[in-house]
Every structure is written in C-alpha cells, then in structure tokens.
C-alpha cells in the first residue's frame, strides 16, 4: 500500500495508485473489530476508490499522513460519477483532441471525503508522478478528470515546472452552479447576515468558485468568512472561495478557502478562476501572476477563455501505509 506525497506551493496531495492496492475482500467493519489474522488493509481498494472515511483518515494531520487531498489514479474509467458532472467530462472528451494517445484518468478527493471535479495543483502533481514512474512518455500528454480533459506540458524536468490546460472558464450560473435565474454571475451581493455582505463574482473551470474582490485581504478574512460562503444556499454544490486584491494589470493576490479542504496556501483552480474574473471585470490583462501565501502561479487567459496555468511541483516523500493506520477509522 504505497503512497507518494507532493506539494504544489504548499498545497499538498497524496498520490495513491490503484495498482498498489490489490482489491481486498475485507470490509471496513473488520478493521474496526480488529484484524482477522493481520488483515487490516483498506476495504475493496484497487477495484474502487477509498471510502470517504478512509480519505478523511489519510488526510488527517494527526491520525493520518496529513494532506489537502488524495489523487487516486491512473484509473481507466469515470464509472459511477454523478451523471451531471460525468456528462461534462464526456462532452469535453468528445470536443477536444487527444494528443499523445489515451488520456489518463484521475479522481480527486478533498480531506472531508468529498470528490472534486478538478484540481490545478493536483493535476501538476499527478503529471509529475506519472512522468517519474514511466507511466507516460514524452513531455506532453492528456489527463482526464471528472471536470474535463487537461493537457499537460512538462516545461522543465529539472525544476519540475509544468503547464496545464485548465479548460474554459465560464461565468454562467447554470454551469457553476449558482442558484437563481440563468445569468453570468458578476458583481452580485452575498448577504451573510449580521449586516455583513460582499460583492462577488462566480466562475467555474470545472469546479465552482466564488471570487470576492476587495482592496485589502487577509488570512483572517478567509478563515472567518470562507466557511459561511462555502456552504451558502446560493451554491448548491458548495463552492471554493477566493478573496482577491488586484495589485496591477499583471498581478493579483488571493487568500483561499477551499471547498472540502478549508484554508490552503495555494490553489490552481482558484488562481484560474480569480484571474478569469479579474480579466472579465477589465482589471487585468490576459497574462496574470497570482500571488498566494505558498507562492505564485502564472495564468494565461485566451480570447475564448481557455485558461493555462504554469507552476512547479515539489516531492515530499514516498512510503508504505501501515495497516495500524486504519484502526482510527472511527475517529474521523
Ligand atoms: N477543493 C477543491 C479541489 C482542489 C482545488 C485546489 N487544490 C487546486 O489546486 O485547484 C474543490 O472541491 O473544488
């Protein structure tokens, strides 16, 4: 049961490859009742992704390895993905060329156990993992996520700097989704009660984002209001939150509260969404450097709103999961 840990500007992920987890007959309850023999391995992995509780445990900063999420792959199919989201992957699949053969698919899980449609840092990390293990050839290839196809280019293997095609940004309420009439969600007011409200825009790059432009931002602001906005009834699938300060026409700064993960030091899809919103509002040009507590990402916005993201990946460690780990499954 191997794991590989990486971070992208401090946004850390565990890569788990199904091939390292042969399907087990055990069930999670056997782990709770103690082992029959020494059989304490995760239930049914290999043929199916880890359960929500197993994801929460692995990502737990004390009982587990600690992580901002799990990258499960490569997998061959997006079976049992919710139709609505799966359809977008199928549309994207049909619409875009597949340079370099078959895409490799990965599933992305947040530390709360929820599944995410896309992760910009996760895609760069997974691309490095595949390249380091000879699971892809060459420097350009395609990855598939539940939120659509992503083209990868390894720009510099020494520095592990990669460019990812993040797909097309949309501001359409139905595609994000945002409740209410069909419209582009720009400059709307979000009432949080206690006479606190924010002007916001919303966007999707395969996963949903609420962007709050402000003259001043801080970690404290993200931690204080992020949870309320993430779970606001206006957002049926919850939402990632960015508080955004526009520095000049080529630089923005964001503080991030991620859906299902909380405060993070960096986020690829958040950078893409915030830069797209700033561009749509006419506040920045098409090449934007996004500054975050964990570092910077370069975002390019094409005239058709196709987003590309460029940044580095750092490897932290690799190792074996101990079966003992799963005896705390009932604590998370
Ligand atoms: N929490 C996000 C997924 C991870 C996004 C972030 N880590 C990135 O690099 O894009 C969601 O539920 O949509």
């Amino acid at each position: 049961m191997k794991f590989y840990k990486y971070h992208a500007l401090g946004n850390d992920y565990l890569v788990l490859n199904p091939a390292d987890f042969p399907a087990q007959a055990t069930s999670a309850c056997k782990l709770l009742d103690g082992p029959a023999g020494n059989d304490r391995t995760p239930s049914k992995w290999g043929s199916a992704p880890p359960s929500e509780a197993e994801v929460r445990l692995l990502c737990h900063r004390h009982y587990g390895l600690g992580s901002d999420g799990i990258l499960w792959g490569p997998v061959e199919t997006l079976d049992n993905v919710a139709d609505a989201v799966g359809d977008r992957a199928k549309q994207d699949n049909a619409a875009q060329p597949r340079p370099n053969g078959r895409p490799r698919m990965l599933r992305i899980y947040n530390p709360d156990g929820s599944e995410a449609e896309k992760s910009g840092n996760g895609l760069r990390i997974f691309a490095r993992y595949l390249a380091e293990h000879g699971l892809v050839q060459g420097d350009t290839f395609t990855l598939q996520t539940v939120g659509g196809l992503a083209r990868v280019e390894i720009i510099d293997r020494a520095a592990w700097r990669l460019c990812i095609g993040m797909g097309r940004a949309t501001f359409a309420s139905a595609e994000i989704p945002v409740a209410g009439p069909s419209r582009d969600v720009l400059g709307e007011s979000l009432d949080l009660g206690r006479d606190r409200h924010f002007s916001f825009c919303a966007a999707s790059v395969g996963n949903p984002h609420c962007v709050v432009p402000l003259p001043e931002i801080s970690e404290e602001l993200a931690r204080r209001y992020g949870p309320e906005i993430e779970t606001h009834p206006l957002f049926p699938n919850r939402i990632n939150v960015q508080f955004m300060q526009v520095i000049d026409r080529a630089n923005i700064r964001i503080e991030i509260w991620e859906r299902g993960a909380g405060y993070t030091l960096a986020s690829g899809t958040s950078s893409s969404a915030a830069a797209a919103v700033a561009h749509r509002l006419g506040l920045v040009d098409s090449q934007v450097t996004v500054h975050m507590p964990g570092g910077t990402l370069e975002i390019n916005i094409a005239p058709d709103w196709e987003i590309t993201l460029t940044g580095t990946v750092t490897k932290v460690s690799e190792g074996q999961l101990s079966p003992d780990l799963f005896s705390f499954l009932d604590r998370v």
Side-chain angles (χ1 to χ4, degrees), residues 85-107:
V85 186
D87 285 350
R88 179 171 175 139
K90 291 177 194 124
Q91 287 160 16
D92 206 4
N93 217 358
Q96 296 189 16
R98 296 188 188 185
N100 202 17
R102 281 173 53 79
R104 279 107 191 136
M105 297 177 183
L106 76 146
R107 307 285 291 269

Side-chain angles (χ1 to χ4, degrees), residues 94-319:
Q96 296 189 16
R98 296 188 188 185
N100 202 17
R102 281 173 53 79
R104 279 107 191 136
M105 297 177 183
L106 76 146
R107 307 285 291 269
I108 303 159
Y109 299 95
N110 291 313
D112 71 350
S114 62
E115 181 165 13
E117 303 87 344
K118 195 173 282 185
S119 169
N121 286 333
L123 280 160
R124 293 201 317 285
I125 286 170
F126 193 65
R128 174 172 175 177
Y129 165 76
L130 294 176
E132 281 181 325
H133 291 82
L135 298 175
V136 286
Q137 279 68 46
D139 290 337
T140 58
F141 47 93
T142 302
L143 298 178
Q144 170 127 34
T145 65
V146 169
L149 288 176
R151 288 182 304 288
V152 176
E153 181 184 356
I154 301 174
I155 295 170
D156 178 346
R157 280 184 187 244
W160 283 108
R161 187 169 171 75
L162 299 93
C163 180
I164 305 282
M166 295 293 289
R168 185 168 303 175
T170 177
F171 309 95
S173 53
E175 294 194 54
I176 297 171
V178 180
S182 181
R183 80 268 186 208
D184 279 0
V185 185
L186 300 169
E188 299 190 6
S189 181
L190 190 63
D191 183 357
L192 297 184
R194 303 187 313 281
D195 74 10
R196 177 78 216 203
H197 62 270
F198 291 105
S199 172
F200 78 98
C201 304
S204 174
V205 287
N207 61 345
H209 295 270
C210 174
V211 182
V212 179
L214 287 170
E216 294 294 328
I217 62 172
S218 67
E219 174 179 346
E220 190 272 335
L221 191 71
R223 289 183 181 278
R224 181 169 178 190
Y225 295 107
E228 284 183 73
I229 298 173
E230 173 196 359
T231 57
H232 193 282
L234 201 53
F235 310 117
N237 293 351
R238 297 189 293 164
I239 201 159
N240 297 282
V241 186
Q242 300 88 39
F243 294 89
M244 173 175 75
Q245 179 188 16
V246 178
I247 298 166
D248 57 36
R249 295 198 61 83
N251 294 276
I252 63 174
R253 192 161 75 86
I254 60 175
E255 286 282 359
I256 304 153
W257 181 268
E258 279 195 36
R259 177 182 64 171
Y263 183 78
T264 61
L265 300 178
S267 165
T269 52
S270 295
S271 299
S272 303
V277 161
H279 188 60
R280 176 70 189 267
L281 296 177
L283 302 173
V284 296
D285 297 326
S286 58
Q287 187 71 35
V288 185
T289 300
V290 182
H291 301 260
M292 297 162 280
T296 62
L297 286 173
E298 302 301 327
I299 301 292
N300 181 274
I301 305 154
D304 66 355
W305 295 100
E306 282 289 334
I307 306 285
T308 52
L309 169 161
T310 303
T312 56
V313 170
T314 303
K315 183 164 184 187
V316 175
S317 67
E318 64 181 79

Side-chain angles (χ1 to χ4, degrees), residues 2 36 39 114 179 262 273:
K2 286 212 72 169
D39 189 354
S114 62

